[in-house]
Amino acid sequence: MCGIVGALAKRNVTSILLEGLKRLEYRGYDSAGIAILNEGQIHRVRRVGRVSETEAAARSEGIQGHLGIGHTRWATHGGVTEPNAHPHISGGLIAVVHNGIIENHEQKREELKAQGYQFTSQTDTEVIAHLIHAHYLKLKDLLAAVQAATQELIGAYAIAVLAADREEELVCARMGCPLLVGLGEGEFFVASDVSAILSETRRVIFLEEGDVVQMTLQGKQVYNHLGQKVERPVHTSDVSLASLELGPYSHFMQKEIHEQPQAIADTIDSILEQGFSPLLLGDQAESLLRECTGVQIIACGTSFYAGSIGRYWLEAIAGLPCQVEIASEYRYRDVVIDPKHLLVTISQSGETLDTMEALKFAQSRGLKTALSICNVPESAIPRNSQLVFHTRAGAEIGVASTKAFTTQLVGLFALTVILAKMRGRITPEQEAAYLDDLRHLPGSVQHALNLEPQIHAWAEKFARKDHALFLGRGVHYPIAMEGALKLKEITYIHAEAYAAGELKHGPLALVDDGMPVVVIAPNDALLEKLKSNMQEVRARGGELFVFADQDSHFTDSEGVHVIRTPRHTGVLSPVVHAIPVQLLAYHTALARGTDVDKPRNLAKSVTVE
């Protein structure tokens, strides 16, 4: 959440900052601002609303300079107002942009007020600006001031700092929130995400926890949390600029829904090449997984629903007990950790703070082996895990996750079959059949995408509703939950999901002729049970919208609408059934006129608690 970009160069950096903020807008879009240093003066432009508002103001004022920082905000402390927008400036001398949450900001605010500092915002970030300013006045050294100030901060932060009297120096620090440094030819860039600086460089270093980096036109130096000089490896990003552009699509969510056949094909490529080999997870995987007696999955949001599907697979195919927990809850109870269990974290960005902190918590309690299923292999969670499965979804810009979800399911399925194979639970013939299922998966997903015109017609009905129910059973119940989440996220329709057998235990009271009920109805062992649940809905006047397999033997009738998904795809059916619920949410949002890619109150990378 929130996005930082900064640049130090021998050329005007205004356009670099503004273009970077546009790339980062998916991380937060309540307000935006830039601060640029020119001839000893900090010139700041801030506006409530989208980055385009800030851009227009900056262009109008014609501000320019060789050193600058920018920020796009997702509000945490304080409302969506211009005084709360970043950058924050202290004494006309120090400018700061910040992602994260400072937990001891109230205490520091009172201390700084006692020293004579006045606050013009409600943010915790202004505390950082004044604290650095106070240290800078004493130390006369920007690096030392940032190092001293961060020692006093409790919480999570990524910050970029400049001083009005330091024309060629940019200092950044991170703890708990992502920040990287881009290496140009005699110039430097900083950003929350590599997408912000791809047009300038592909060579980046990822800062570690507690790192502080000083950049001047002469070079850079990284210091660790102990203040010691360290070297961090240089990575070359393989993210393409084309993946960050809309191309022929109207929205990133639409683009990313339609990219799923290719994203899945890219993700399964190594599996088809190597088979279900432990090496897919890392060189140590075979030895680390050999003694595995159970699996603990932790994740948030859509990734949690992916993990919930993984539990069905792991128990049914690998024969291993599996628990799935919401990461934000996991570390706040007295967890009993079995060191022989595999901890699986799932995160699109690899920077999800709740998931990262849950991983650290488990490791502090004796957890020995962690596997990260992640779309960004260089990010924090994979770097802190012994094993990694890289979901090759490519850049995902839309706030509502789509292709990250389906590729996470591929990763969980691969893990399942690897463990089943190591435990002697499947025959070579079964392994070959599972490989064949994967091989046909991109085509099945494409067939599901071809249902879009029919789903568009349904969306017109949903757009007039204020509530909806989603039902599923067994491994498809999490798909119902994911469908409800998607509808909530981008249409603002109140939607809930239930295991269909739970209807009679309470939710059936909600059903009337104004309540649309979406049913995930593949032709599996629970289909007849599900049909009984559907009869309960029709008997109360509810209108049914059924996603059924070709061979599920449903027909349209009064109050029952049916769309037939591709022929039942066996164990991988949840992946295919994810597509229709994504399309339903997308087209309903279009019909309601909401902002598909930037839904209200939300942001993409959740790096705060």
Side-chain angles (χ1 to χ4, degrees):
M1 293 196 177
C2 301
I4 286 174
V5 65
L8 171 63
K10 295 179 181 179
R11 53 188 166 126
N12 181 27
V13 300
T14 304
S15 293
I16 296 171
L17 299 181
L18 292 170
E19 290 303 313
L21 290 181
K22 289 178 187 177
R23 303 278 188 201
L24 292 174
E25 199 167 20
Y26 71 93
R27 300 177 72 96
Y29 34 86
D30 293 334
S31 60
I34 61 173
I36 292 181
L37 184 59
N38 192 351
E39 297 182 352
Q41 297 291 319
I42 298 173
H43 299 272
R44 176 178 65 182
V45 176
R46 302 182 293 178
R47 291 293 186 272
V48 169
R50 302 297 165 83
V51 171
S52 58
E53 302 288 330
T54 300
E55 180 181 29
R59 303 289 189 202
S60 175
E61 295 183 22
I63 64 171
Q64 57 182 317
H66 303 301
L67 171 61
I69 53 179
H71 188 270
T72 179
R73 181 175 186 245
W74 184 82
T76 51
H77 292 81
V80 182
T81 65
E82 189 169 311
N84 287 335
H86 299 215
H88 288 281
I89 296 176
S90 180
L93 183 61
I94 298 293
V96 174
V97 290
H98 162 231
N99 293 350
I101 290 179
I102 304 304
E103 296 175 7
N104 62 334
H105 72 98
E106 292 180 348
Q107 172 196 337
K108 290 300 172 184
R109 183 184 294 262
E110 293 307 312
E111 292 174 5
L112 289 162
K113 282 182 177 179
Q115 296 175 38
Y117 284 95
Q118 295 183 344
F119 286 78
T120 60
S121 79
Q122 302 163 302
T123 68
D124 54 347
T125 304
E126 193 175 6
V127 169
I128 301 174
H130 290 324
L131 189 59
I132 293 173
H133 181 272
H135 284 291
Y136 188 62
L137 292 180
K138 297 174 187 175
L139 300 171
K140 309 300 183 184
D141 183 303
L142 185 58
L143 171 65
V146 172
Q147 289 173 317
T150 54
Q151 291 299 312
E152 297 185 38
L153 300 177
I154 299 173
Y157 58 81
I159 59 173
V161 187
L162 58 82
D165 58 351
R166 300 276 178 165
E167 290 269 350
E168 297 184 357
E169 184 176 5
L170 178 62
V171 178
C172 303
R174 68 150 292 193
M175 178 67 75
C177 293
L179 198 64
L180 57 87
V181 175
L183 310 177
E185 296 298 326
E187 52 191 21
F188 296 98
F189 311 93
V190 295
S192 304
D193 188 309
V194 71
S195 63
I197 58 173
L198 269 182
S199 60
E200 308 303 325
T201 183
R202 292 184 175 278
R203 297 176 63 242
V204 299
I205 63 171
F206 297 94
L207 299 181
E208 300 287 344
E209 291 284 85
D211 279 357
V212 180
V213 58
Q214 178 190 44
M215 290 157 281
T216 70
L217 290 178
Q218 286 68 50
K220 59 144 179 64
Q221 181 59 61
V222 181
Y223 299 84
N224 65 15
H225 68 287
L226 299 174
Q228 301 164 332
K229 291 183 179 182
V230 293
E231 292 294 328
R232 300 298 184 207
V234 177
H235 300 266
T236 300
S237 174
D238 62 358
V239 177
S240 71
L241 275 173
S243 71
L244 306 176
E245 303 292 345
L246 272 173
Y249 298 98
S250 300
H251 302 92
F252 279 107
M253 183 177 181
Q254 180 191 31
K255 176 176 184 272
E256 289 153 14
I257 288 173
H258 282 269
E259 285 176 338
Q260 286 176 109
Q262 187 61 55
I264 291 170
D266 290 342
T267 301
I268 67 175
D269 187 57
S270 59
I271 306 172
L272 297 180
E273 182 179 329
Q274 299 181 48
F276 292 102
S277 166
L279 290 174
L280 291 167
L281 310 178
D283 293 341
Q284 305 176 68
E286 185 162 9
S287 60
L288 290 174
L289 296 179
R290 184 62 62 189
E291 302 302 318
C292 175
T293 60
V295 180
Q296 172 70 67
I297 299 174
I298 52 176
C300 302
T302 287
S303 297
F304 171 75
Y305 298 142
S308 299
I309 292 168
R311 176 178 60 185
Y312 284 94
W313 288 338
L314 284 159
E315 292 183 343
I317 299 173
L320 285 169
C322 179
Q323 290 183 306
V324 187
E325 293 202 49
I326 297 169
S328 58
E329 291 291 321
Y330 178 77
R331 67 189 178 104
Y332 293 112
R333 65 181 183 82
D334 291 327
V335 179
V336 178
I337 290 177
D338 187 331
K340 289 189 176 182
H341 281 194
L342 171 68
L343 182 75
V344 179
T345 58
I346 310 174
S347 170
Q348 188 279 138
S349 67
E351 302 285 353
T352 309
L353 186 63
D354 287 321
T355 306
M356 182 71 228
E357 293 301 320
L359 170 61
K360 290 180 183 176
F361 173 75
Q363 290 171 332
S364 73
R365 293 291 187 93
L367 189 281
K368 293 181 179 178
T369 305
L371 164 69
S372 168
I373 296 177
C374 183
N375 196 36
V376 187
E378 306 93 351
S379 56
I381 295 175
R383 291 201 309 269
N384 283 273
S385 303
Q386 290 85 358
L387 307 176
V388 178
F389 183 89
H390 180 198
T391 58
R392 300 180 184 276
E396 189 180 69
I397 305 301
V399 166
S401 181
T402 52
K403 60 179 180 174
F405 174 67
T406 48
T407 53
Q408 286 168 356
L409 291 178
V410 171
L412 285 161
F413 184 71
L415 170 65
T416 297
V417 183
I418 289 168
L419 288 170
K421 183 178 175 183
M422 292 180 68
R423 290 166 55 80
R425 295 268 304 182
I426 60 172
T427 65
E429 292 75 20
Q430 287 172 313
E431 180 184 4
Y434 286 141
L435 281 172
D436 201 47
D437 288 341
L438 279 179
R439 189 174 290 108
H440 289 96
L441 185 59
S444 295
V445 168
Q446 184 58 58
H447 288 160
L449 288 168
N450 295 340
L451 301 172
E452 191 164 9
Q454 299 173 61
I455 295 170
H456 181 272
W458 278 13
E460 296 297 325
K461 296 176 180 288
F462 273 78
R464 299 189 293 270
K465 304 295 184 180
D466 295 317
H467 307 277
L469 286 179
F470 284 70
L471 303 179
R473 296 202 73 147
V475 72
H476 293 89
Y477 168 43
I479 295 298
M481 292 192 285
E482 172 65 4
L485 176 62
K486 285 290 161 284
L487 200 68
K488 279 183 279 199
E489 281 182 300
I490 63 170
T491 72
Y492 317 143
I493 293 171
H494 174 238
E496 297 294 340
Y498 290 93
E502 284 293 293
L503 267 182
K504 55 187 173 293
H505 296 293
L508 198 57
L510 297 171
V511 174
D512 59 20
D513 58 6
M515 175 70 79
V517 180
V518 180
V519 185
I520 314 300
N523 185 18
D524 60 14
L526 293 172
L527 181 61
E528 293 306 316
K529 296 286 185 184
L530 186 60
K531 287 181 177 179
S532 297
N533 303 136
M534 292 166 59
Q535 290 300 322
E536 294 169 356
V537 173
R538 283 300 300 133
R540 276 75 179 179
E543 190 172 12
L544 289 163
F545 295 81
V546 185
F547 290 116
D549 290 336
Q550 291 286 354
D551 48 3
S552 290
H553 307 296
F554 284 102
T555 56
D556 282 330
S557 59
E558 184 179 356
V560 180
H561 313 280
V562 180
I563 290 178
R564 301 193 183 283
T565 60
R567 187 170 299 279
H568 184 52
T569 47
V571 71
L572 292 170
S573 174
V575 183
V576 177
H577 278 83
I579 310 305
V581 298
Q582 294 171 356
L583 289 169
L584 179 60
Y586 173 73
H587 284 287
T588 303
L590 290 187
R592 286 172 70 92
T594 59
D595 192 330
V596 174
D597 287 335
K598 301 181 180 68
R600 69 188 184 198
N601 305 334
L602 300 177
K604 183 71 175 175
S605 295
V606 185
T607 56
V608 297
E609 283 198 86

